[in-house]
Amino acid sequence: MQLMSSEAPDFRLEDFLPYRLSVAANRVSRRFADRYGAAFGLSIPEWRVMAVLGRFGRLPAREIAARTAMDKVKVSRAVRQLQARGFLERAADAADARLHWLALSKAGQGVHAAIVPMAREMEAEVVQGLTTEELAVLNVALGRIAERFPGEGVD
Amino acid sequence: MQLMSSEAPDFRLEDFLPYRLSVAANRVSRRFADRYGAAFGLSIPEWRVMAVLGRFGRLPAREIAARTAMDKVKVSRAVRQLQARGFLERAADAADARLHWLALSKAGQGVHAAIVPMAREMEAEVVQGLTTEELAVLNVALGRIAERFPGEGVD
DNA sequence: TGACATCAGTTGCATTTGAAACTACCTCGG
DNA sequence: CCGAGGTAGTTTCAAATGCAACTGATGTCA
């Protein structure tokens, strides 16, 4: 005699991997967004744009989208915002009038320089309590999962 | 002579754990939402409410919120929707007029019975390509991260 | 060429979200 | 009792999101 009509054992949401993954990721993202919002007035999309431009120098919006796992609409809006704040410079491509190269301005580079150490701190905080091996496995697992579940502009 | 003004090595977004976590989680969630949307017309919040009610029988909204990592607003809206579809029953508490106990209706139980196997399939899909040990480590890591980053209604 | 698919990027619009305000109710100290 | 403060749950409102439609430009293939 059991309450559940099903033959299957109870379904425990708290043990359900997609749920656990979602909760962990969203908590980290929330904290992350709070910190960057407070410190620099940057949203996560804006932060990602700055991050990839800091690394690659100049990219067209399409490339930013590909490298930040965001769709082009989100990139477009983040770029507009960053431009309004003077963190970005935009230059038309000589050969292809559809393309616009985006790069950090001087001011943007300054912000980028401040942003990166804070990111490393946050990462350290996430990683605390994990051994090196656990961290390695976590990274492998996340990579496999992301591969198995492709998506255009996700997040 | 280097391009980066900073002493630190390049910051690689694609290796940044909070980013990787976010991307993996969002891709899974998106697929999950698509499937449940297509199969049952359920959103993730609605799905979560059904899941915990299927397990615990009856709960007040506040408890649903606590057990699904959602805030009370999201729960309120999911409940309204599920009620409109006839999947939920709602009963006022005898002693405390603020409380309303929520439970799956007969129809809701039927849906729940269909929902759970599909969840297990999706979980299996996420887990494919991970060894048992890797899975165990992943779960530990996600638990530690979620602990280290508390949050009221997150996700 | 020139019609047509395709691409970069933006905008419009409907949906989702969440913080804060709000309603209704309960509790507890005096 | 009664009033201050707390809780359950809903509503309001502004912001974030995402799809689809759009603009303008390029590629392509007959």
Side-chain angles (χ1 to χ4, degrees):
Chain A
M1 194 83 74
Q2 46 183 33
L3 284 166
M4 298 283 108
S5 56
S6 156
E7 0 41 48
D10 267 15
F11 177 79
R12 303 173 148 266
L13 183 60
E14 71 270 31
D15 297 336
F16 185 52
L17 189 57
Y19 171 74
R20 293 169 64 82
L21 196 52
S22 172
V23 169
N26 285 320
R27 288 192 181 173
V28 171
S29 287
R30 168 98 36 134
R31 180 91 120 253
F32 192 87
D34 286 350
R35 294 241 188 121
Y36 275 99
F40 304 100
L42 293 175
S43 68
I44 289 184
E46 288 158 15
W47 180 87
R48 287 189 183 173
V49 170
M50 305 260 325
V52 297
L53 288 179
R55 170 138 177 257
F56 294 106
R58 35 190 248 112
L59 294 171
R62 167 184 50 80
E63 272 302 307
I64 295 178
R67 293 180 185 285
T68 56
M70 305 192 296
D71 66 32
K72 61 185 182 173
V73 177
K74 220 177 223 176
V75 171
S76 173
R77 298 199 258 239
V79 163
R80 173 206 295 269
Q81 194 58 35
L82 292 171
Q83 250 188 306
R85 296 234 261 147
F87 296 162
L88 252 51
E89 274 159 16
R90 174 190 240 247
D93 184 87
D96 187 338
R98 293 170 303 180
L99 282 181
H100 297 272
W101 292 88
L102 296 160
L104 295 177
S105 66
K106 210 70 178 160
Q109 287 172 29
V111 174
H112 181 263
I115 262 172
V116 166
M118 190 160 151
R120 297 201 195 282
E121 279 171 35
M122 288 237 22
E123 187 170 49
E125 218 175 309
V126 172
V127 157
Q128 258 183 15
L130 302 182
T131 67
T132 310
E133 292 77 21
E134 283 172 337
L135 177 56
V137 170
L138 176 59
N139 266 310
V140 167
L142 292 177
R144 296 232 185 95
I145 290 168
E147 275 171 33
R148 190 172 308 281
F149 291 77
E152 286 306 295
V154 180
D155 185 61
Chain B
M1 194 82 74
Q2 46 182 36
L3 284 167
M4 299 280 108
S5 57
S6 156
E7 4 35 50
D10 268 15
F11 177 79
R12 303 174 150 265
L13 183 61
E14 71 270 29
D15 296 337
F16 185 52
L17 189 56
Y19 170 75
R20 293 170 64 82
L21 197 52
S22 172
V23 170
N26 286 319
R27 288 192 182 173
V28 172
S29 287
R30 167 100 35 135
R31 180 91 121 253
F32 192 87
D34 286 351
R35 295 241 188 121
Y36 274 100
F40 303 101
L42 293 174
S43 67
I44 288 185
E46 289 158 16
W47 180 86
R48 286 189 184 173
V49 169
M50 305 260 325
V52 297
L53 288 178
R55 169 135 179 257
F56 294 106
R58 35 190 246 111
L59 295 171
R62 168 184 50 79
E63 273 300 308
I64 295 177
R67 293 180 184 285
T68 55
M70 303 194 295
D71 66 33
K72 61 185 182 174
V73 177
K74 220 176 221 177
V75 172
S76 174
R77 296 198 259 238
V79 163
R80 174 206 295 267
Q81 194 60 33
L82 292 171
Q83 251 188 305
R85 295 234 260 150
F87 296 162
L88 252 53
E89 274 158 17
R90 175 190 237 245
D93 184 87
D96 187 339
R98 293 169 305 180
L99 283 182
H100 297 272
W101 293 88
L102 295 161
L104 295 177
S105 67
K106 210 70 177 158
Q109 287 172 29
V111 174
H112 181 262
I115 262 172
V116 166
M118 189 159 152
R120 297 200 196 283
E121 277 170 36
M122 288 237 21
E123 187 170 48
E125 219 174 309
V126 173
V127 157
Q128 258 184 13
L130 303 181
T131 68
T132 310
E133 293 77 22
E134 284 173 337
L135 177 57
V137 169
L138 176 59
N139 267 310
V140 168
L142 292 177
R144 296 231 184 95
I145 291 169
E147 276 172 31
R148 190 172 309 279
F149 292 76
E152 286 307 296
V154 182
D155 187 59

